[in-house]
Amino acid sequence: MNVLQYKSISTSTSYITVAENGNYQELSEEEFALMPLDIYNSPDGYMKLETNYALKRTVGSEKYFGVWVCATWLKWPAIALNDVLILSTNGVFDSSHNESAYVNQTFYCNSLSICSKYSLVNRTVNKNSLIKDDLILKYSNYTPYISFVPLSPKCNYCGGPAKDIYFRAYLSYGIITSGTCNIQAHYGHTTIGITDIGVGIKNGEVTLTPKLGAQITQYDARPVTVK
């Protein structure tokens, strides 16, 4: 009854993220919207896969979503041969969406010289530019994925040895669904071999095939329901 006496009522929403140590931080609505819906850390401690989606628009009974995945190396791979990043789905591929991807690596010079600089190596592709150096945007059964070579650390300034500081890959594209569907992140890393990884995708299921005696370490995140 007291509420009926008010001339106006205002409400506010706060988004809080809480770390494992109990510390918390307030986020803006934009930051909250970009937070991953699922974060998968591999049991071996090497890989983190962050999966997310966002509703773009609704047309009749069909919903158009943007989906994306970020893959971050938590420990640096000792072998640089061929990797793939895939976000599989049993939804319908949206060809009107501008699928895009990048691989960013940062090295810190640790040579005996006084260089001590950071080297940034960024490669970006999209549906209008499928290849950038070793990074290639490919498709399997209407599902985009990327194939690339992890670069060995080297200083771009003095040419001396360097160490990994940051290594992240990203893939984004669009899907359509009239109900619900799933997306699932996958990362394949070649540990032995001389050719690229064979990728097969059908109805959301992913098969990675080693070629010519190659061996692959595969990381599979949990499926995320898009609705």
Side-chain angles (χ1 to χ4, degrees), residues 54-59 62-65 94 96:
L55 178 64
K56 294 164 44 183
R57 65 183 184 276
T58 301
V59 180
E62 294 185 329
K63 295 181 179 180
Y64 291 71
F65 292 91
D94 179 10
S96 68

Side-chain angles (χ1 to χ4, degrees), residues 128-195:
N128 299 314
S129 180
L130 300 178
I131 302 176
K132 176 59 177 179
D133 300 330
D134 60 277
L135 175 62
I136 306 175
L137 178 61
K138 299 181 178 182
Y139 300 82
S140 175
N141 199 23
Y142 299 101
T143 301
Y145 71 94
I146 55 173
S147 174
F148 60 94
V149 176
L151 301 182
S152 298
K154 184 182 73 172
C155 179
N156 291 343
Y157 299 93
C158 71
K163 62 179 180 179
D164 282 291
I165 296 296
Y166 181 78
F167 187 168
R168 191 177 201 186
Y170 168 87
L171 171 66
S172 171
Y173 65 98
I175 63 171
I176 307 170
T177 179
S178 57
T180 63
C181 65
N182 289 333
I183 54 176
Q184 185 175 13
H186 310 266
Y187 193 103
H189 174 65
T190 304
T191 56
I192 298 176
I194 58 175
T195 61

Side-chain angles (χ1 to χ4, degrees), residues 24-37:
Y24 66 91
Q25 177 184 0
E26 185 170 353
L27 304 176
S28 68
E29 186 173 355
E30 292 77 12
E31 290 173 323
F32 177 78
L34 293 174
M35 288 185 65
L37 292 172

Side-chain angles (χ1 to χ4, degrees), residues 22-130:
N23 293 334
Y24 66 91
Q25 177 184 0
E26 185 170 353
L27 304 176
S28 68
E29 186 173 355
E30 292 77 12
E31 290 173 323
F32 177 78
L34 293 174
M35 288 185 65
L37 292 172
D38 183 77
I39 299 177
Y40 167 81
N41 290 291
S42 63
D44 62 8
Y46 276 84
M47 175 60 58
K48 178 171 72 173
L49 293 169
E50 303 171 71
T51 310
N52 210 343
Y53 70 86
L55 178 64
K56 294 164 44 183
R57 65 183 184 276
T58 301
V59 180
S61 62
E62 294 185 329
K63 295 181 179 180
Y64 291 71
F65 292 91
V67 298
W68 64 91
V69 57
C70 294
T72 305
W73 282 95
L74 303 176
K75 299 179 182 178
W76 319 120
I79 300 172
L81 294 172
N82 176 234
D83 286 12
V84 293
L85 175 61
I86 305 159
L87 185 60
S88 64
T89 183
N90 56 358
V92 178
F93 174 65
D94 179 10
S95 60
S96 68
H97 187 99
N98 181 22
E99 51 268 24
S100 62
Y102 66 71
V103 176
N104 293 347
Q105 291 183 251
T106 302
F107 310 129
Y108 178 71
C109 178
N110 62 352
S111 66
L112 297 178
S113 68
I114 59 173
C115 179
S116 300
K117 292 184 178 179
Y118 292 91
S119 299
L120 279 66
V121 184
N122 301 329
R123 296 94 85 193
T124 302
V125 293
N126 56 54
K127 71 176 182 180
N128 299 314
S129 180
L130 300 178

